[in-house]
């Protein structure tokens, strides 16, 4: 499994490079625990200490939130970049105030409607993380999506109410927060996304939707370090072509015609297989993945299991063809 407790214990047992600075900088036991959990390097530790005393910190930002901000900003960072990283971490911490105001990043709680939306989303194979499928280089997080906008899950444009749009944003925000807690590597290494795009619906998921959802990632500790796009239609191919090789490399975008080509072209990133609903052979237990997501949040886990049982019993749990 990715980021299991056993792996965390092994990392903690090893002499971490930041430990030499712990006593000198007066790290608390809580901060040391967070450094271990997120696998901090000496650079990340130095940046954390630099921003620890920043002024005008948004209300509700604690040690965990600081560690998340530092981890995201230090992905692929180098020691000579520390001044820039200090500023970037401070800016991200200040943006958490806006993330709280708009999306409830700090204080938001899982409700039955939001959990219902998450369960349906993962049951359709969108933005799902399976702890048994890790990114090959770092053992980090891979997020799998079968672009699906069927009527049983995604309403037509005229039926996309403001409430539905708002719930989608709040659900995604809380999902990212839970990912940060359940998968520490999503903070220290970022997330690799694998999207099977053959069923993408441009009418339902338009540019306004893309813009609305992209704003969340600018405010919360979330970073896609690589985006593997498989089986795009001609319209998508043109969009990627218009980006040009330089921008695609900058944003970590790679495009393939089919899953076989993707696994061959991304052999250094993709593990042995991908889910069946993304063109592979791996059978995903969606409920087990949800349980792992909430392994550090007992109340959310209880709600998730209750919602799953209700949807399954009532016949409301989506079963699109690609998930069978």
């Amino acid at each position: 499994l990715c980021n299991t407790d056993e792996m965390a214990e092994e990392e903690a047992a090893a002499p971490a490079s930041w430990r030499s600075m712990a006593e000198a900088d007066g790290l608390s036991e809580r901060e040391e625990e967070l450094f271990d959990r997120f696998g901090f390097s000496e650079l990340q530790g130095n940046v954390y200490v630099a921003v620890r005393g920043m002024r005008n910190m948004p209300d509700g930002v604690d040690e965990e939130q600081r560690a998340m901000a530092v981890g995201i900003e230090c992905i692929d960072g180098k020691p000579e970049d520390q001044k820039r990283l200090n500023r970037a971490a401070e800016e991200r911490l200040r943006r958490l105030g806006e993330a709280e105001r708009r999306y409830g990043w700090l204080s938001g709680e899982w409700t039955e409607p939001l959990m219902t939306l998450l369960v349906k989303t993962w049951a359709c194979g969108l933005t799902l993380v399976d702890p048994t499928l890790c990114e090959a280089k770092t053992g980090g997080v891979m997020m799998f999506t079968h672009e699906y906008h069927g009527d049983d899950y995604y309403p037509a444009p005229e039926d996309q109410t403001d409430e539905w749009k708002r719930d989608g944003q709040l659900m995604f925000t809380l999902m990212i927060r839970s990912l940060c807690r359940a998968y520490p590597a999503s903070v220290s290494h970022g997330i690799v996304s694998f999207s099977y795009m053959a069923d993408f619906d441009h009418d339902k998921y338009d540019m306004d939707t893309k813009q609305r959802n992209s704003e969340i990632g600018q405010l919360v500790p979330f970073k896609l370090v690589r985006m593997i796009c498989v089986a795009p239609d001609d319209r998508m191919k043109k969009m990627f072509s218009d980006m040009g090789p330089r921008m695609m490399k900058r944003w970590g975008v790679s495009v393939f015609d089919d899953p076989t080509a993707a696994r061959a072209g991304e052999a250094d990133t993709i593990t042995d297989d991908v889910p069946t609903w993304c063109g592979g052979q791996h059978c995903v237990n969606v409920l087990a993945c949800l349980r792992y997501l909430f392994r550090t949040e007992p109340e959310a886990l209880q709600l998730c299991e209750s919602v799953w049982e209700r949807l399954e019993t009532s016949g409301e749990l989506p079963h699109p063809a690609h998930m069978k």
Side-chain angles (χ1 to χ4, degrees):
L1 295 179
C2 306
N3 308 300
T4 59
D5 294 333
E6 290 79 5
M7 289 173 62
E9 289 173 2
E10 291 176 3
E11 291 177 357
S17 57
W18 56 265
R19 290 185 181 279
S20 60
M21 59 178 280
E23 184 174 349
D25 288 306
L27 295 179
S28 66
E29 290 186 7
R30 170 62 169 163
E31 288 171 326
E32 290 192 19
E33 183 271 325
L34 289 167
F35 280 30
D36 268 335
R37 187 204 306 174
F38 294 120
F40 267 19
S41 64
E42 184 175 0
L43 171 62
Q44 289 168 315
N46 287 334
V47 174
Y48 179 94
V49 170
V51 303
R52 184 169 54 175
M54 70 176 267
R55 298 178 180 179
N56 302 319
M57 187 83 72
D59 293 337
V61 173
D62 58 11
E63 295 93 339
E64 183 182 56
Q65 293 294 333
R66 284 198 292 269
M68 289 178 181
V70 168
I72 287 291
E73 291 301 337
C74 288
I75 292 175
D76 297 329
K78 300 177 181 178
E80 57 266 30
D81 298 332
Q82 185 178 338
K83 288 185 178 180
R84 176 184 62 79
L85 294 172
N86 290 348
R87 293 192 298 270
E90 286 188 358
E91 291 171 2
R92 182 170 287 277
L93 281 168
R94 289 194 174 92
R95 290 199 297 271
L96 292 182
E98 182 68 6
E100 165 65 12
R101 186 184 69 81
R102 295 175 61 179
Y103 307 117
W105 169 258
L106 300 171
S107 63
E109 300 290 341
W110 283 104
T111 63
E112 185 156 348
L114 295 180
M115 186 64 74
T116 298
L117 182 56
L118 174 68
V119 169
K120 288 183 175 181
T121 297
W122 280 33
C124 290
L126 288 98
T127 65
L128 183 147
V129 176
D130 186 329
T132 67
L133 296 177
C134 311
E135 189 270 326
K137 290 181 181 178
T138 65
V141 178
M142 291 198 70
M143 178 180 286
F144 294 95
T145 291
H146 184 114
E147 298 288 357
Y148 173 73
H149 304 100
D151 293 338
D152 56 342
Y153 162 71
Y154 210 95
E158 61 272 15
D159 296 324
Q160 295 178 12
T161 64
D162 290 341
E163 181 181 7
W164 178 84
K165 294 175 182 178
R166 178 67 175 165
D167 282 352
Q169 291 177 312
L170 296 180
M171 180 275 288
F172 186 76
T173 298
L174 294 182
M175 185 192 78
I176 293 302
R177 193 180 66 185
S178 294
L179 279 174
C180 289
R181 291 170 173 168
Y183 294 88
S186 68
V187 171
S188 53
H189 299 295
I191 295 173
V192 175
S193 73
F194 186 106
S195 296
Y196 186 77
M197 312 184 80
D199 295 330
F200 193 92
D201 190 324
H202 295 276
D203 293 328
K204 287 189 174 181
Y205 196 94
D206 56 17
M207 289 305 298
D208 288 342
T209 306
K210 294 176 186 177
Q211 178 61 34
R212 185 172 64 247
N213 293 339
S214 67
E215 294 172 355
I216 300 174
Q218 303 301 315
L219 297 177
V220 305
F222 173 71
K223 185 173 184 178
L224 291 177
V225 295
R226 190 149 189 80
M227 290 168 276
I228 304 169
C229 307
V230 180
D233 61 13
D234 290 341
R235 185 170 171 180
M236 276 288 185
K237 287 181 180 179
K238 184 180 186 307
M239 184 193 75
F240 292 130
S241 177
D242 291 343
M243 286 179 67
R246 181 178 298 181
M247 289 302 296
M248 289 181 67
K249 182 178 181 180
R250 177 182 176 183
W251 294 105
V253 178
S254 57
V255 182
F256 302 93
D257 288 334
D258 56 69
T260 301
R263 289 198 296 273
E266 295 285 344
D268 291 338
T269 300
I270 300 174
T271 49
D272 293 336
D273 208 348
V274 298
T276 53
W277 34 269
C278 283
Q281 298 298 317
H282 179 78
C283 294
V284 173
N285 184 324
V286 177
L287 180 56
C289 294
L290 285 164
R291 285 171 172 158
Y292 194 90
L293 175 69
F294 294 120
R295 65 193 180 102
T296 67
E297 302 174 74
E299 292 184 2
L301 175 59
Q302 185 178 12
L303 177 60
C304 177
E305 292 180 330
S306 173
V307 167
W308 181 282
E309 183 179 1
R310 172 175 60 80
L311 293 175
E312 193 169 42
T313 301
S314 66
E316 297 176 80
L317 189 68
H319 291 284
H322 64 268
M323 296 297 287
K324 296 177 182 177

